[in-house]
Amino acid sequence: MSKKATLTSKAYLLPFVLVTSLFFLWGFARAILDVLNKHFQNVLDISITQSSLIQVSTYLGYFIMAIPAGWFINRQGYRRGVVFGLLLFGIGAFMFIPGALAGSFYGYLVALFVIGCGLVFLETSANPYVTELGDPQTSTARLNFSQSFNGLGSMTATLAIGQFLFSGDADSDDIVKPYIILGFLVLLIAVVFSRVDLPEIKHKETEEDRMQDTRIMKLFRHHPMFVFGLFSLLAYEVAEISINSYFINFVTGQGWMADDTASLVLTCALGFFMIGRFIGAWIMRRVKAETMLLICGIGTVTCMGLVLLNLGRLSMMALICNYFFEAIMFPTIFSLALRGLGNLTKSASSLLMMTPIGGCGFLLMGIVHDATNLVTPFIIPFVCFFVVLIYASELTRNGKQLVLTL
């Protein structure tokens, strides 16, 4: 346990700052979906199940392109992976223009699929890269700190885009304007990253590297806790994305508030999320990462239990508090799953970045809602958070600890 370990070193400070800026970008892009979902329900008169295709289209891009992204980054490096992802992101954003001209909901879905393909390149590059930009002891705290800006991007999206679209006179074509601005911004950032030097992190060759199996086979055969982490991350993604996407539908359906107010409340909830990550990064300087994950797992399961009990405003408060407890889960599971994988890190990251396909879990929530009521769909995130709780418990029991001290 070192008292001198810091989040990153001077040598890695500039790459750390630049890559951390990307976390804001994809947080913004993913949070727009939660507003877009209700917006299209309003202006196109479609059901929750139909509007869930927004999430399905975007996160299908993650699932299909995650392994190709890992293959590309293994051969071309982190910097080119980032630039290629930004280019795909920009193309997808500008595809909203022909989508609006065609007046087709499915045209927008194609654009979102392309954006999802770009985002998976960004996340497959940036998440593992941040864990390696400094002392291994602080990898989880470092990723939690960077992921905090993901929460800031999410807050900005729900506040700005939510108020823009729910102003009272918005139509389906209005969503094109923010995506055009976003497209130009993304391409500008791509130019910046094409000009900077991001040092590649080299690992020593091990006996495992000389085995004949493919990287993915090595991961599944020789790293069972990585596999458990992979499925835990998938469970988390199902829970987190489904709750975000269902939030406005739930609180407005309960008659608690109107759409514009709901988007503001969601922004506040995402504020708790961002604060949770900053606090989590600070606490994990001295508290074991798996201990934090265990505590937060208990918190999320408890919150979802209170929501399922349908206790009125108490359930709403539990839903908002859940954002605080779930905040550290993605970066913590991600970094613990990558721990000690060496030259398998990039391939492992590509597999972990298939997990946002869990966003399609919102489709299941929509189906359950249409067949039952507003509250019952929360059984899905309840079960998923319970999986994360079991993973944290298993890490603790097996002594798979990561002690972080600054």
Side-chain angles (χ1 to χ4, degrees):
M1 185 182 298
S2 172
K3 293 292 184 183
K4 298 180 179 179
T6 57
L7 277 183
T8 189
S9 63
K10 289 183 179 180
Y12 291 141
L13 182 59
L14 179 59
F16 179 65
V17 171
L18 287 173
V19 173
T20 295
S21 70
L22 297 175
F23 287 77
F24 177 91
L25 194 61
W26 75 65
F28 190 96
R30 288 173 63 162
I32 288 180
L33 303 179
D34 306 324
V35 176
L36 199 58
N37 184 277
K38 190 66 169 70
H39 170 66
F40 278 133
Q41 288 174 37
N42 293 343
V43 300
L44 298 179
D45 193 27
I46 59 178
S47 69
I48 293 177
T49 303
Q50 289 173 305
S51 70
S52 69
L53 292 176
I54 292 168
Q55 274 76 16
V56 171
S57 298
T58 305
Y59 296 118
L60 187 62
Y62 275 81
F63 185 75
I64 291 175
M65 292 303 294
I67 290 178
W71 178 88
F72 182 93
I73 294 163
N74 264 313
R75 286 156 180 76
Q76 302 297 325
Y78 289 116
R79 184 177 65 84
R80 290 182 179 176
V82 168
V83 172
F84 188 70
L86 288 168
L87 291 175
L88 282 176
F89 188 168
I91 291 169
F94 286 121
M95 285 176 67
F96 267 70
I97 299 174
L101 293 175
S104 169
F105 175 58
Y106 296 99
Y108 293 125
L109 296 183
V110 172
L112 289 170
F113 173 78
V114 175
I115 289 175
C117 291
L119 292 179
V120 73
F121 273 85
L122 292 183
E123 296 199 48
T124 304
S125 300
N127 281 306
Y129 192 57
V130 163
T131 66
E132 301 193 49
L133 290 176
D135 193 317
Q137 286 187 314
T138 58
S139 61
T140 301
R142 190 160 49 249
L143 185 55
N144 268 280
F145 179 83
S146 294
Q147 284 276 356
S148 301
F149 291 89
N150 177 279
L152 181 60
S154 298
M155 281 181 59
T156 305
T158 55
L159 178 60
I161 307 303
Q163 295 305 297
F164 173 68
L165 293 179
F166 298 139
S167 60
D169 56 357
D171 58 43
S172 60
D173 293 346
D174 283 345
I175 192 59
V176 176
K177 298 171 186 175
Y179 272 101
I180 291 175
I181 297 171
L182 192 57
F184 279 114
L185 177 62
V186 164
L187 293 181
L188 178 62
I189 296 173
V191 171
V192 172
F193 271 88
S194 70
R195 303 287 182 178
V196 299
D197 177 40
L198 294 182
E200 289 292 320
I201 309 299
K202 302 294 183 182
H203 296 279
K204 294 180 180 179
E205 188 179 71
T206 65
E207 186 66 31
E208 186 178 40
D209 295 323
R210 292 187 283 271
M211 294 180 181
Q212 295 303 309
D213 287 340
T214 64
R215 291 184 179 93
I216 291 176
M217 289 304 297
K218 290 174 186 175
L219 287 167
F220 278 91
R221 288 182 177 178
H222 306 294
H223 298 278
M225 289 309 295
F226 165 77
V227 177
F228 198 173
L230 173 65
F231 285 104
S232 298
L233 196 61
L234 175 61
Y236 166 76
E237 291 280 28
V238 171
E240 187 230 338
I241 298 170
S242 297
I243 291 171
N244 288 345
S245 302
Y246 193 61
F247 187 97
I248 296 177
N249 291 286
F250 178 65
V251 297
T252 56
Q254 292 280 51
W256 292 334
M257 60 194 73
D259 290 346
D260 56 344
T261 306
S263 72
L264 286 174
V265 174
L266 178 56
T267 300
C268 292
L270 291 169
F272 276 103
F273 185 84
M274 180 185 69
I275 292 169
R277 279 192 172 162
F278 276 119
I279 292 176
W282 179 77
I283 291 176
M284 280 188 282
R285 293 178 302 178
R286 290 179 171 80
V287 175
K288 298 169 186 176
E290 76 279 14
T291 300
M292 277 292 294
L293 188 60
L294 183 65
I295 294 169
C296 290
I298 293 170
T300 54
V301 169
T302 301
C303 287
M304 287 299 99
L306 290 172
V307 173
L308 284 167
L309 289 174
N310 198 16
L311 301 174
R313 295 302 175 97
L314 179 60
S315 290
M316 188 177 77
M317 293 306 299
L319 182 59
I320 293 172
C321 289
N322 180 76
Y323 280 80
F324 182 82
F325 287 113
E326 74 176 19
I328 62 102
M329 286 186 172
F330 180 91
T332 303
I333 297 170
F334 194 97
S335 93
L336 287 172
L338 291 181
R339 183 170 176 248
L341 294 182
N343 289 318
L344 297 177
T345 297
K346 291 177 182 177
S347 295
S349 175
S350 69
L351 290 175
L352 292 173
M353 286 319 305
M354 294 177 75
T355 59
I357 191 65
C360 296
F362 178 55
L363 174 60
L364 182 57
M365 286 191 78
I367 293 171
V368 173
H369 165 270
D370 292 344
T372 57
N373 53 53
L374 276 168
V375 177
T376 303
F378 281 100
I379 192 68
I380 296 168
F382 176 84
V383 171
C384 290
F385 284 133
F386 195 75
V387 171
V388 174
L389 178 59
I390 294 172
Y391 173 64
S393 177
E394 188 68 12
L395 282 173
T396 304
R397 189 178 69 83
N398 289 344
K400 301 290 184 181
Q401 289 120 353
L402 184 62
V403 181
L404 304 177
T405 305
L406 290 184

